Amino acid sequence: MPSAPSPKQSGGERLRDWYPYYAGFPSDFVGDALTRHFPSVNSILDPWNGSGTTTAVAAARGLGAVGLDINPAVTIVARARLTPVSIKESFDPLADEILRAAEIDAPKAFDVEPLARWLGGSSVEMVRRIQRAINTVLVADPDLEADLAADPGGRSSSLPLLATFYYTALFATGRDLLAPFRASNPTWLRYPPTYRHRLNPAPGAITVSFRERVQYLADRLTIASKAGAESPVLRTASAVDLRDENAYDGCFTSPPYATRVDYVRGSLAELSILGASDEQVADLRRRTTGTPTVRGVERKYCELSSSMANDIAIQIQDHVSHGSANYYGPWIRNYFSDLETSLSRIARAVKPDGVIGIVVQDSHYKSIPIDLQTIVTEAMAGEGRVLTCREDYEVRHSFARLNPAARKHLATRTNHESLLVFT
Ligand SMILES: C[S@@+](CC[C@H](N)C(=O)[O-])C[C@H]1O[C@@H](n2cnc3c(N)ncnc32)[C@H](O)[C@@H]1O
């Protein structure tokens, strides 16, 4: 019987080992799993890399690591984590230089300023000044930001490492500034009802927060030297499009679950700093696996290879409750289809004698159980991968519990997060 609590991170951000990213792994959990289940691998893939825990832990052990995430802001956060501790002494002087440059150089205005939804003019200007200064001092390209938000697979994957570090400090500053707009759902950011409800933090307070965030991140770096930091390759790309064949000894990862967590809205502060327009955010939500967006009714009928996934999709589609036929049914089919395609790509990318570790959580739609553990196991079996170990953990703070409408179903239910190991 499972007894240990879920390994996924929760609780205060002071306890986090890197950027406060929703549902990130703790490093210790990844380190322990790599030691026990991946004793002799040289290279590790994480195609849903998020804040980059797998790639950072692998890099700290001198392993080759490749991480993908579809979200360009998240790629920057994961790359920043690879900044070597050995240059820690230069973080404060560089922050000084950036803030000096921020005083001089006026920012270029966006046609539609995404941050203006929450912040008044002088606050937005200060954030943009710091951003332009990072671009000037560390990238030699003051007008970089439009490129970053628009272009998956582009500049977010190739920014200089130090620039990703200061961008991440600016993202964290942005999260601090927008914290009053966070809802109880940790991935939701409210909009103020009118312009008059926007906040106007003073420029001086923003620079103080930026410095604090540089320090916060510096204290959490784990890669000792540059040698370790060079090897990981982190790309903004979709797991669905992974085309590597027999390239890795192992994969350690965790996909989005069937809980409609909106990772894109959850990173709206960061994407807005990158200048992402409403259209770019909407496009990213459509392409991101598991967000509440449905890609169109034509995918309602797409075939699924897992028989359990197919049965669940039919049960949800046929459920009597409002929205099941037109929204939740197509949504779950989209989700399963993305998941199966990605799992098949992962199975091909890892060498036949390699190890694949996948962390998943079960959930429910109304009273219909969504046993993601079995679905993933069936999909992997279809690719010739055998489940050799399963470790279960109890989920004490399920995302669904945040939804008052779902709470009545939850009184008698325990969800499980499981590490599934395939060889
Ligand atoms: C459970 S989180 C991973 C968290 C990660 N293990 C960490 O420690 O931060 C799932 C991630 O998958 C990403 N994602 C969603 N759809 C994707 C896709 N099609 N391709 C690649 N990444 C995707 C999300 O942006 C999110 O960062």
Side-chain angles (χ1 to χ4, degrees), residues 2 4 6 259 360-364 369-370 373 392-401 410 412-418:
S6 159
T259 46
V360 285
Q361 186 183 308
D362 52 18
S363 55
H364 284 80
I370 303 176
Q373 288 86 337
D392 284 352
Y393 303 87
E394 220 170 85
V395 178
R396 305 234 166 107
H397 300 285
S398 157
F399 183 77
R401 279 169 211 274
L410 293 172
T412 55
R413 251 182 229 159
T414 311
N415 286 340
H416 296 112
E417 193 133 41
S418 308

Side-chain angles (χ1 to χ4, degrees), residues 60-254:
R61 294 173 174 223
L63 303 176
V66 172
L68 312 181
D69 201 285
I70 200 161
N71 184 329
V74 174
T75 306
I76 291 174
V77 170
R79 289 194 62 228
R81 197 171 188 166
L82 305 171
T83 311
V85 181
S86 55
I87 60 163
K88 209 171 165 177
E89 298 301 304
S90 45
F91 289 143
D92 279 343
L94 259 176
D96 289 341
E97 191 179 338
I98 288 165
L99 291 175
R100 266 197 307 276
E103 283 173 23
I104 300 163
D105 220 0
K108 203 183 70 173
F110 282 89
D111 293 341
V112 178
E113 170 55 77
L115 291 171
R117 284 182 288 217
W118 301 279
L119 300 177
S122 58
S123 310
V124 171
E125 181 179 333
M126 192 64 226
V127 172
R128 294 294 177 212
R129 278 180 176 270
I130 298 175
Q131 178 174 23
R132 192 172 174 85
I134 297 171
N135 293 343
T136 307
V137 173
L138 297 169
V139 196
D141 180 358
D143 300 321
L144 180 66
E145 47 278 359
D147 223 8
L148 289 175
D151 173 25
R155 299 293 292 272
S156 58
S157 313
S158 60
L159 272 180
L161 203 57
L162 260 178
T164 64
F165 180 84
Y166 287 95
Y167 254 95
T168 303
L170 189 59
F171 288 163
T173 305
R175 284 181 84 88
D176 292 344
L177 298 175
L178 303 190
F181 300 106
R182 288 214 172 274
S184 55
N185 171 344
T187 65
W188 205 253
L189 202 54
R190 285 179 288 109
Y191 294 132
T194 71
Y195 265 18
R196 279 186 297 125
H197 292 82
R198 294 184 308 175
L199 297 177
N200 288 292
I206 296 175
T207 58
V208 168
S209 167
F210 179 67
R211 277 183 192 286
E212 282 175 5
R213 287 314 194 162
V214 167
Q215 199 54 59
Y216 171 94
L217 294 172
D219 290 343
R220 284 162 175 75
L221 292 173
T222 52
I223 309 281
S225 69
K226 205 153 193 299
E230 287 303 332
S231 55
V233 175
L234 269 54
R235 293 199 305 265
T236 305
S238 176
V240 172
D241 299 328
L242 179 68
R243 290 289 187 276
D244 297 338
E245 300 259 347
N246 294 337
Y248 309 100
D249 299 327
C251 169
F252 191 79
T253 194
S254 181

Side-chain angles (χ1 to χ4, degrees), residues 8 21-25 46-53 68-71 74 237-240 254-256 263 287-289 338:
K8 285 282 178 82
Y21 190 56
Y22 182 76
F25 290 142
D46 186 345
W48 292 290
N49 196 33
S51 61
T53 319
L68 312 181
D69 201 285
I70 200 161
N71 184 329
V74 174
S238 176
V240 172
S254 181
Y263 285 98
R287 288 184 291 115
T288 298
T289 301
D338 263 18

